[in-house]
Amino acid sequence: MLRNQSSLKLTAIIALVCLIVGALAPSLVTQRTRPLSFKEDISITMGPAEAQVMHCEDTGECSQEISELEITRHSTTAKTEVDDAAAVAESTIEASLDGEKVAEIAQSALLNRESAYPMAGTDTTQEFSIHGGAVLNSEGAEIDGIDYFFPSQTEQRSYPYFDPVMQKSEPIDYLTDEKVAGIPTYSFYQQRQGIEVSQLFDDQRFPDNLSPYYAVERTVWVEPTTGRIVDVNEKMQIYLAGSQDEEPAEERTLFATDISWDEASTQAELDKVKNTVLAIQVVSIIGWVLAIVGAVLLLVCAWRFSRQREK
């Protein structure tokens, strides 16, 4: 009788352990992906892709030409001396036409490691240069949205996405679930136009009543567990118009392109998330198995207990 009671208690303990481990293990593994690493080092290449560019002669005659555009981005994170909850993020973006660098953007910010958002009240720096001449140099400017990374455990909702050309954040909306090379991702979509960008053309003169405006249509694919971006497509246009409500016209287009990450960049980021995704899938399966085993053992305990009472 005592042996039966001892065996029953042991079975009940094993059942409870299986249920607890099965419930907690997946969330514990997932939590390990939450803090943004201090050792991120990401190099991305977009293109090469065709770009429509307007060239104007000293005589005032202008023509549109097709050039080859390539955009590179290098982003890193590092530990701060102030707070382990923050990471210093630095990024450099360079754009080249036909192999010649025509623009560069340098940014630095403190990111919250949990949310990947810039930390409120902290200094950021941005320098936007075209043809080597500084156009925008805004130390202390506020980057109030996602720029480098999405939060881990990315949700199916809208996020503020910072655009360095617009110099502000606009919502980027959840679009759909889809797989990229077999990896489940969330895609996000953003479309904006009529954003005045006269600050990029301080030394340019345009026809009366016309100003340069910016339009962008972008799709971003994110692996939701890690928040890592694995692919991007951007359709960008800078055009002349009389107001922000005026539709872009082909004959007034200063610059236009449709550009995406190259395959090597996408594959490099996919390789970084594969092990994490696989580990979470395996642990989730183990969790389900342990939960089933625990439930079965509890049923066995209940059955044995009822039999003992009948005796």
Side-chain angles (χ1 to χ4, degrees):
M1 183 68 176
L2 290 175
R3 176 182 292 184
N4 288 339
Q5 288 181 349
S6 177
S7 174
L8 185 61
K9 288 180 180 180
L10 179 60
T11 303
I13 291 172
I14 293 174
L16 290 174
V17 169
C18 287
L19 289 172
I20 293 171
V21 173
L24 294 181
S27 61
L28 291 174
V29 173
T30 301
Q31 287 295 324
R32 292 187 62 186
T33 68
R34 290 191 68 87
L36 181 65
S37 170
F38 290 127
K39 299 179 180 180
E40 293 289 352
D41 192 337
I42 302 172
S43 294
I44 299 300
T45 299
M46 300 185 74
E50 288 188 351
Q52 178 182 323
V53 183
M54 181 176 288
H55 291 276
C56 295
E57 304 294 338
D58 294 337
T59 59
E61 295 183 0
C62 298
S63 62
Q64 292 178 339
E65 301 178 1
I66 300 298
S67 299
E68 184 179 83
L69 172 68
E70 185 174 85
I71 300 174
T72 61
R73 176 168 188 159
H74 184 217
S75 299
T76 62
T77 60
K79 193 171 183 178
T80 71
E81 297 179 356
V82 180
D83 190 349
D84 284 343
V88 177
E90 295 184 344
S91 189
T92 301
I93 305 169
E94 295 183 354
S96 301
L97 285 174
D98 296 329
E100 179 183 353
K101 186 171 74 172
V102 294
E104 180 177 0
I105 303 173
Q107 297 175 329
S108 178
L110 277 180
L111 302 185
N112 184 305
R113 295 181 64 212
E114 290 290 328
S115 67
Y117 281 79
M119 296 189 71
T122 59
D123 288 341
T124 63
T125 60
Q126 299 177 75
E127 184 174 291
F128 195 149
S129 60
I130 296 179
H131 289 292
V135 175
L136 298 177
N137 191 338
S138 48
E139 187 169 351
E142 183 179 5
I143 300 176
D144 56 353
I146 293 168
D147 185 24
Y148 300 90
F149 311 95
F150 274 69
S152 61
Q153 308 307 308
T154 304
E155 300 177 9
Q156 297 178 355
R157 64 176 180 86
S158 299
Y159 287 91
Y161 191 91
F162 183 81
D163 187 309
V165 177
M166 289 192 287
Q167 289 289 293
K168 65 178 181 178
S169 295
E170 292 284 348
I172 188 167
D173 303 318
Y174 168 77
L175 185 62
T176 186
D177 295 16
E178 55 185 292
K179 290 188 176 181
V180 177
I183 300 294
T185 68
Y186 293 167
S187 61
F188 292 84
Y189 178 78
Q190 181 187 65
Q191 184 177 26
R192 294 290 184 273
Q193 72 177 50
I195 309 298
E196 188 172 355
V197 288
S198 298
Q199 71 274 15
L200 300 181
F201 301 92
D202 287 342
D203 60 344
Q204 297 288 329
R205 293 184 179 181
F206 298 109
D208 292 342
N209 301 322
L210 294 180
S211 299
Y213 289 89
Y214 172 66
V216 63
E217 180 181 358
R218 62 167 50 92
T219 306
V220 179
W221 287 265
V222 180
E223 194 289 304
T225 302
T226 60
R228 187 176 292 274
I229 298 172
V230 298
D231 200 6
V232 174
N233 171 259
E234 293 184 333
K235 300 176 179 67
M236 298 179 284
Q237 184 178 11
I238 297 177
Y239 58 97
L240 295 177
S243 70
Q244 63 180 15
D245 299 322
E246 189 175 326
E247 291 294 321
E250 180 73 18
E251 64 275 9
R252 292 180 179 175
T253 295
L254 304 177
F255 171 84
T257 191
D258 182 343
I259 193 167
S260 301
W261 282 16
D262 65 4
E263 292 184 6
S265 298
T266 294
Q267 190 59 53
E269 295 308 298
L270 287 172
D271 289 343
K272 293 175 183 177
V273 303
K274 280 181 179 178
N275 289 338
T276 300
V277 172
L278 179 60
I280 289 175
Q281 290 175 343
V282 170
V283 171
S284 296
I285 293 172
I286 293 174
W288 277 104
V289 171
L290 289 174
I292 292 171
V293 171
V296 170
L297 289 176
L298 282 179
L299 289 174
V300 170
C301 287
W303 175 76
R304 290 179 60 186
F305 181 74
S306 65
R307 289 290 301 273
Q308 288 182 7
R309 292 192 64 181
E310 290 174 359
K311 292 179 180 180

